Amino acid sequence: MKNLIDRYIRKEMFPHIWCPGCGNGVVLGAIIRAIDDLKWDKNRIAMVSGIGCSSRITGYVDFCTMNTTHGRAIPFATGLKMAKPDMQVIVVMGDGDCSAIGGNHFIHAARRNLNLTAIIINNMIYGMTGGQFSPLTPTHRIGTTAPYGNIDQSFDLVKLAMAAGASYVARSTVYHIRQSISLIKKALNKKGFSVVEIISSCPISYGRLNKIRTPVDMMNWLKDIAVSSKAWENLSPQQREEKLIIGEFLDVDKPDYCALYTQLLEKAREEEVR
Amino acid sequence: MNKSLDNIKLLQGNEACVQGALLAGVRFFAGYPITPSSEIAEGMAYYLPKLGGKFVQMEDEIASMAAIIGASIGGLKSLTATSGPGFTLKQENLGYAIINEIPCVIVNAQRGGPSTGLPTKPAQGDMMQARWGTHGDHSIIALAPSTVDEVFWLTIKAVNFSEKYRTPVILLLDEVIAHMREKVIIPEPEEIEIINRKKPTVPPEEYLPFKPDQDGIPPMANFGEGYRYHFTGLIHNQKGFPTSNPQEIDWHLRHIYNKIKQNAKNITLYQRHFLDDAKIALIAYGSVARAAERVVKLAREQGIKTGLLKLLTIWPFPEEELSRLANQVELMLVPEMNLGQIVLEVERVVRGKCQVISYNRVDGELINPEEILLKIQEEIEK
């Protein structure tokens, strides 16, 4: 562990800003473990984030890092990836960041099948601004802007990414950490747009408002709501209401944007100037 | 084949912008279709891949602005083009480029506003938005050509300024300049001065990405070339990390403001026409400057000693030249296709040393020389 910290963490940035019981640090640990397993050169890794608690992750890791504007991490990463196709570009977003203000960018990066790995830390709430409901807050749950219960339907990011054209889509939780590491590793290795949603714990905002008050309660809650697709098959519609499927949903090989762009460049060079 | 004849082109303003950008070394364009700037995107989509550059049509204007910043951080000279409604959307990430000192160029082919406004008609309504459109104190460079040839040269200047001063630069066209066709003589590449951003000379472990050299500009390392560091839209220290230290905050804000101010002399471009003996000075820019040039001739035929100060740089505002001129002339007339934006700056600089009046048109039509002349005659008779 100390080795990993020395190798990947900007120690001068600590202490971090995250609350006790926050899942962001767990995801940070999972990402650097996955990268360490892959033995990638740090100079060739870029990490790009937007705005929110989770986006502070880019300040803490010793890669080429950009903490950008709210929801816009993917388009910033798009420009960087096009300029430096040899770099591994990882985008880390929160649920509001990715699916509300950044929703359009997310589906279009998937549509292009652009070679980015998007890791979404989904704590089902806007944490940094104090607990407002997000597009991933389940219906009926409480947020500071949904004091009578959320009447909105929530997005299923997995289905959204699959429908929009991603190459790899998976979901896990901060409780299922070994699975998270292995899914992130697969996503990082994937050509094309890869997505890993990690359900995370926010005891301070989501937990307190929804009566899952302590970090331990939240971990137990994650353990309880997450089921494999196999287990899902045996659940009644009523039992399914509060559950989330974890695991791998999509892993396909199809032309990625960078490969297609290389072909385009060759075609453009061959054609006569009009 | 006569090479020199081959270099003479009849180009649209938007096409001249593309040619200038390519010669200046732009190798990345991200954009979104919008009238009257779309020909720039179309030109870039065609030419960039031939030069090994990249064109991406993004999902919206906000994403386009973000993408050119990302590509610039990756080391490619980057440009985007838009018009009023898109320029409004770009303000968000324009602020990010300012606070992180990212070289990039934003072309705004102005049309009537506010909102959807007049998509196919010219206006000069975005002069103040170019200066103050994104929130917070900051500096900016904005240039405004009035001929197609100037579009070509000022596009190159814009790219050079952005690289030299580590800043976004805005090129303000208007619908007329963007779409009209004029002669442009395309120079040979070796005839053009190209400026590339300063790279760090220290090893990565000693590199402070936001520590300026004596000229006020910090050297910039591209990502992926051995220097690992951090960009953030938060106020940051010279290492690039967020800070809440009042001294560091104050330093950062003043640094991004002053680095343009202290170099203003080298950035403010203008042309003087018949000003040496003038008693009346027209202050004009963009397509209105074309009419103003004609007015100088017509007025002088009537014995009215009139001259023109044509502004090519709008921001930073050419304060020194205007202040000098205010000591000489009795009247400054500022014709604009807006309800009076640059005239406010002129009044600020002149400080009552001479009379300043404006002439405005916001009906989507160009300002004619005759109506400016009439305004001058009215003022003389008063």
Side-chain angles (χ1 to χ4, degrees):
Chain A
M1 185 64 204
K2 184 156 186 314
N3 241 338
L4 286 179
I5 291 172
D6 287 342
R7 207 172 305 155
Y8 296 106
I9 298 293
R10 289 172 175 151
K11 282 181 281 188
E12 71 268 33
M13 293 292 286
F14 278 64
H16 58 70
I17 65 150
W18 295 323
C19 308
C22 174
N24 287 336
V26 180
V27 179
L28 167 58
I31 294 172
I32 63 172
R33 283 179 176 88
I35 288 171
D36 193 61
D37 278 356
L38 293 168
K39 307 264 178 291
W40 281 353
D41 174 5
K42 288 195 290 183
N43 287 320
R44 312 299 306 164
I45 301 172
M47 196 184 279
V48 185
S49 63
I51 294 291
C53 302
S54 57
S55 71
R56 292 301 185 100
I57 204 167
T58 46
Y60 303 140
V61 288
D62 185 21
F63 305 127
C64 297
T65 52
M66 289 158 75
N67 170 24
T68 70
T69 48
H70 196 26
R72 320 300 178 205
I74 285 177
F76 277 91
T78 301
L80 178 61
K81 182 70 188 179
M82 296 305 284
K84 285 270 188 277
D86 295 340
M87 286 186 90
Q88 302 288 343
V89 183
I90 305 162
V91 185
V92 182
M93 295 170 283
D95 46 313
D97 197 35
C98 170
S99 73
I101 189 165
N104 199 32
H105 310 309
F106 179 71
I107 58 174
H108 285 278
R111 177 179 64 81
R112 288 185 197 103
N113 198 25
L114 179 66
N115 313 48
L116 303 171
T117 297
I119 296 169
I120 299 101
I121 306 179
N122 175 11
N123 60 9
M124 304 184 182
I125 203 110
Y126 286 93
M128 187 167 266
T129 46
Q132 299 80 17
F133 74 96
S134 89
L136 298 187
T137 304
T139 314
H140 309 309
R141 291 297 176 181
I142 306 292
T144 53
T145 47
Y148 309 109
N150 177 25
I151 60 168
D152 289 16
Q153 283 188 71
S154 58
F155 267 137
D156 183 331
L157 269 195
V158 162
K159 285 182 185 162
L160 188 65
M162 285 165 66
S167 281
Y168 182 87
V169 182
R171 180 195 282 139
S172 187
T173 85
V174 292
Y175 175 82
H176 302 84
I177 196 61
R178 284 184 189 285
Q179 183 191 41
S180 292
I181 295 168
S182 95
L183 295 175
I184 290 171
K185 229 166 93 177
K186 276 194 84 171
L188 291 173
N189 261 332
K190 190 75 195 173
K191 283 188 173 147
F193 194 64
S194 56
V195 178
V196 183
E197 178 188 9
I198 301 191
I199 314 293
S200 183
S201 53
C202 176
I204 298 294
S205 285
Y206 189 80
R208 269 202 297 211
L209 290 165
N210 290 287
K211 301 195 170 67
I212 321 169
R213 288 196 173 86
T214 70
V216 174
D217 288 345
M218 284 229 97
M219 281 294 174
N220 282 324
W221 166 72
L222 288 172
K223 184 182 164 192
D224 185 48
I225 62 165
V227 295
S228 68
S229 52
K230 222 175 193 177
W232 176 266
E233 294 301 322
N234 300 323
L235 296 177
S236 70
Q238 258 174 333
Q239 288 171 309
R240 285 178 182 178
E241 260 175 31
E242 292 283 308
K243 303 282 185 192
L244 276 166
I245 310 175
I246 58 170
E248 216 168 66
F249 295 83
L250 181 73
D251 183 2
V252 292
D253 290 316
K254 57 179 175 176
D256 60 272
Y257 197 74
C258 289
L260 291 169
Y261 216 98
T262 305
Q263 289 172 19
L264 183 152
L265 290 178
E266 280 163 23
K267 195 174 172 192
R269 260 191 297 269
E270 283 163 13
E271 264 180 37
E272 292 261 321
V273 176
R274 65 184 172 208
Chain B
M1 191 75 121
N2 189 331
K3 186 74 187 159
S4 64
L5 266 182
D6 220 29
N7 289 15
I8 301 172
K9 308 263 187 205
L10 181 67
L11 293 181
Q12 197 187 48
N14 284 340
E15 293 168 351
C17 178
V18 171
Q19 296 306 321
L22 297 174
L23 274 168
V26 167
R27 289 297 177 269
F28 184 81
F29 180 98
Y32 187 82
I34 186 167
T35 305
S37 80
S38 297
E39 293 85 0
I40 298 175
E42 290 167 356
M44 287 297 192
Y46 181 78
Y47 287 108
L48 271 177
K50 289 196 172 295
L51 300 167
K54 311 278 173 70
F55 165 93
V56 188
Q57 183 166 310
M58 296 300 287
E59 55 274 16
D60 60 34
E61 299 276 4
I62 297 168
S64 309
M65 188 65 213
I68 66 163
I69 295 169
S72 184
I73 288 172
L76 295 185
K77 291 184 182 177
S78 302
L79 181 141
T80 185
T82 187
S83 185
F87 192 51
T88 297
L89 290 167
K90 292 198 190 303
Q91 299 301 327
E92 177 193 58
N93 290 326
L94 180 61
Y96 189 88
I98 289 167
I99 204 171
N100 281 302
E101 306 182 57
I102 311 294
C104 57
V105 176
I106 301 100
V107 183
N108 174 7
Q110 293 172 95
R111 63 195 226 187
S115 191
T116 312
L118 290 164
T120 61
K121 288 180 182 288
Q124 297 177 319
D126 305 347
M127 311 312 288
M128 283 295 170
Q129 192 189 18
R131 178 65 190 89
W132 294 114
T134 196
H135 59 279
D137 276 316
H138 58 271
S139 63
I140 198 77
I141 297 175
L143 311 177
S146 68
T147 68
V148 173
D149 190 54
E150 282 173 9
V151 173
F152 176 80
W153 284 105
L154 288 185
T155 303
I156 296 171
K157 274 273 182 220
V159 177
N160 281 346
F161 281 159
S162 79
E163 292 283 318
K164 184 167 184 181
Y165 299 112
R166 267 193 80 167
T167 178
V169 177
I170 296 161
L171 187 68
L172 292 162
L173 312 183
D174 59 57
E175 190 276 334
V176 168
I177 303 299
H179 280 159
M180 71 185 294
R181 289 183 183 276
E182 281 184 312
K183 183 176 85 172
V184 180
I185 301 172
I186 306 283
E188 295 300 325
E190 59 273 16
E191 297 171 68
I192 299 171
E193 187 199 15
I194 300 294
I195 296 173
N196 298 314
R197 66 191 66 171
K198 274 188 303 185
K199 296 280 189 66
T201 50
V202 296
E205 60 276 13
E206 288 170 31
Y207 179 50
L208 291 172
F210 296 96
K211 183 174 187 284
D213 289 342
Q214 287 224 314
D215 62 358
I217 314 302
M220 182 171 172
N222 301 329
F223 270 12
E225 296 174 11
Y227 292 78
R228 295 188 305 275
Y229 64 105
H230 188 54
F231 284 101
T232 175
L234 290 159
I235 297 283
H236 44 260
N237 56 26
Q238 294 188 344
K239 274 187 154 178
F241 295 124
T243 180
S244 53
N245 174 327
Q247 268 181 316
E248 287 181 340
I249 296 169
D250 184 79
W251 180 84
H252 188 197
L253 255 297
R254 289 180 196 278
H255 161 64
I256 57 171
Y257 193 84
N258 287 334
K259 71 171 182 179
I260 302 300
K261 201 175 174 183
Q262 78 185 54
N263 288 297
K265 253 201 172 133
N266 301 319
I267 303 169
T268 47
L269 312 171
Y270 50 81
Q271 285 172 8
R272 291 167 52 98
H273 295 274
F274 296 93
L275 279 172
D276 288 348
D277 66 342
K279 292 290 163 207
I280 296 174
L282 296 169
I283 316 296
Y285 54 90
S287 57
V288 177
R290 306 168 71 91
E293 221 175 307
R294 173 81 183 149
V295 173
V296 171
K297 187 166 182 286
L298 296 176
R300 282 191 176 261
E301 280 169 11
Q302 297 182 13
I304 310 168
K305 285 185 178 168
T306 306
L308 164 66
L309 183 68
K310 179 161 97 174
L311 309 181
L312 298 174
T313 299
I314 305 295
W315 309 115
F317 198 65
E319 297 175 358
E320 269 192 40
E321 178 59 20
L322 264 159
S323 187
R324 259 199 307 274
L325 196 57
N327 293 326
Q328 173 199 322
V329 301
E330 288 159 12
L331 173 70
M332 285 188 188
L333 172 57
V334 190
E336 297 179 83
M337 286 192 289
N338 57 46
L339 288 174
Q341 296 193 10
I342 290 305
V343 70
L344 300 175
E345 285 296 293
V346 175
E347 284 170 354
R348 175 179 68 80
V349 172
V350 165
R351 292 174 196 274
K353 286 190 284 185
C354 71
Q355 193 190 349
V356 177
I357 56 169
S358 60
Y359 183 79
N360 315 101
R361 205 162 167 171
V362 287
D363 59 354
E365 297 296 316
L366 284 173
I367 297 180
N368 297 317
E370 290 72 21
E371 47 190 319
I372 300 174
L373 186 63
L374 199 67
K375 184 77 180 170
I376 292 174
Q377 287 162 340
E378 277 171 21
E379 283 305 312
I380 291 172
E381 280 160 24
K382 262 184 195 169

